Amino acid sequence: MEVAKSCCGSSMVLDLLTALQEKEDIGGKHQDAAMMKNDTSNEPVTCILQLDHMRSKAKYLKTIKAWCEELDLVGRIVFCLRWIFLFLQGSADDIKMYIQRNKTQCVDVNSSGKPCKERLLSVLYQGNQQNKFSNFEVHQVENITEFKTWMMSCGLSDLFKDIIEPVTSR
């Protein structure tokens, strides 16, 4: 009820839903995470996310790296021209938890410098792929050709053609 009172005059429904999601996360996150770690039936998956923007690059990257370490995820974040792609590999449940955190917790700052959530995160792909990464790294590529070459060197050329190329050709 206190959250509802504090939301008056703003985008109340969205703020209430976000507050409920955060409250739910706080209550069961650590117990759920421990139970998921013991579940060996969870097949590894690869997920490609597209981030809308990153104003506070250092803070955002620090948060991503911390969450990946905490959730036992590996991958790459790739900056290419105006696009930001996040490649994650790990269990489907851990990736789902990462996406939920990214959308419900403050990870960046808005144009006014106030903390904000990444509500415009897009899941471009999630499927079974052999693990290609052993840690988390940041990559900067100068153009689409260099990005394609990088993905080929990682053994992900099929994902470039099917997922990345359509996004970058818009």
Side-chain angles (χ1 to χ4, degrees):
M1 193 62 153
E2 294 134 27
V3 175
K5 288 177 184 174
S6 70
C7 293
C8 286
S10 67
S11 54
M12 187 172 174
V13 174
L14 183 59
D15 290 343
L16 285 172
L17 286 173
T18 302
L20 284 172
Q21 285 177 331
E22 288 172 356
K23 183 174 174 119
E24 185 179 304
D25 287 347
I26 293 168
K29 176 118 12 229
H30 299 292
Q31 185 179 12
D32 291 345
M35 285 173 44
M36 283 184 226
K37 296 288 183 222
N38 295 331
D39 182 9
T40 56
S41 66
N42 217 350
E43 292 293 318
V45 297
T46 296
C47 183
I48 302 175
L49 307 170
Q50 183 179 5
L51 304 178
D52 182 63
H53 66 279
M54 193 178 286
R55 287 192 176 93
S56 178
K57 191 173 180 178
K59 180 181 184 266
Y60 207 144
L61 289 174
K62 183 178 175 182
T63 301
I64 290 173
K65 288 177 182 178
W67 287 348
C68 285
E69 187 175 313
E70 189 178 315
L71 295 170
D72 201 25
L73 297 172
V74 295
R76 302 289 185 266
I77 187 161
V78 181
F79 296 90
C80 178
L81 303 171
R82 62 183 172 96
W83 297 284
I84 306 167
F85 296 100
L86 179 58
F87 294 76
L88 293 176
Q89 293 180 330
S91 78
D93 290 332
D94 288 339
I95 288 175
K96 181 179 176 182
M97 194 176 293
Y98 173 88
I99 293 169
Q100 184 178 22
R101 284 184 186 185
N102 212 119
K103 288 184 174 186
T104 60
Q105 296 184 25
C106 293
V107 291
D108 201 9
V109 294
N110 63 18
S111 58
S112 303
K114 295 181 182 177
C116 68
K117 299 166 181 76
E118 178 63 73
R119 292 186 177 124
L120 299 176
L121 174 82
S122 300
V123 178
L124 302 177
Y125 171 82
Q126 186 166 339
N128 295 336
Q129 288 277 328
Q130 278 189 309
N131 280 357
K132 307 290 183 182
F133 309 120
S134 59
N135 60 358
F136 186 86
E137 293 179 4
V138 178
H139 285 278
Q140 176 76 43
V141 294
E142 299 302 319
N143 54 49
I144 302 300
T145 305
E146 189 179 330
F147 193 11
K148 183 177 183 178
T149 303
W150 175 82
M151 286 192 70
M152 288 174 65
S153 72
C154 294
L156 299 170
S157 55
D158 55 330
L159 292 179
F160 181 85
K161 182 179 180 270
D162 298 337
I163 308 300
I164 303 298
E165 202 167 48
V167 171
T168 57
S169 63
R170 290 184 213 157

